[in-house]
Amino acid sequence: MKTLLHICCAPCANQCIDVLRTDGFAVAGFWYNPNIHPFTEYRARRNTLRDYAATIELPLIERDDYGLRPFVREVAEDIEHRCVKCYEMRLFETARQAKEGGFDSFTSSLFISPYQNHELMREIAERAAHEYGVEFLYRDFRPYFKAGQEKARELGFYMQKYCGCVFSEQERYLKPSKIIP
């Protein structure tokens, strides 16, 4: 079974790829992340993924347009609920690519993150699957999160500090720091 894996970054993807391959899926990666800001962050994540994909012989489809402006237009009216639009943009585009590319199913490395809203992502992915007539392959990859982060460090991957959008970066800096006495 051919599945298209939307990839937000190589640190999140490495275990997803391993699990899917172990389960017998022919996996191809899909890079589409219009939410990532600034451009240097976008480029660092994309280039790390490109390098990793080459080393593991992962076919990689890229929609490599820096989409900050369309992303901001989508979320501007409701920044507090921006994740809905962000998930929709990425998962609907992944479903479309899967359908056009002749894949049997699609999923996302976002499902490894304990910081993402899995129920919301799943609901959106199921809507995208229905709209494009391609199966959504749900996998809860969260049990592999720690192993994925460890492997990413071992491989010397670029490791980001926030989800990707300018608003999540801002929130990262607004959180009170944990001071150990």
Side-chain angles (χ1 to χ4, degrees), residues 91-92 95 106 124-136:
L91 294 171
F92 271 78
F106 74 95
I124 290 168
E126 288 170 352
R127 280 194 287 123
H130 179 74
E131 181 169 318
Y132 287 100
V134 63
E135 180 185 344
F136 166 57

Side-chain angles (χ1 to χ4, degrees), residues 69-78 85-86 88-89:
R69 290 172 193 267
F71 170 75
V72 171
R73 276 193 288 277
E74 283 292 320
V75 303
E77 290 186 29
D78 191 3
K85 290 292 186 185
C86 185
E88 286 175 346
M89 290 177 79

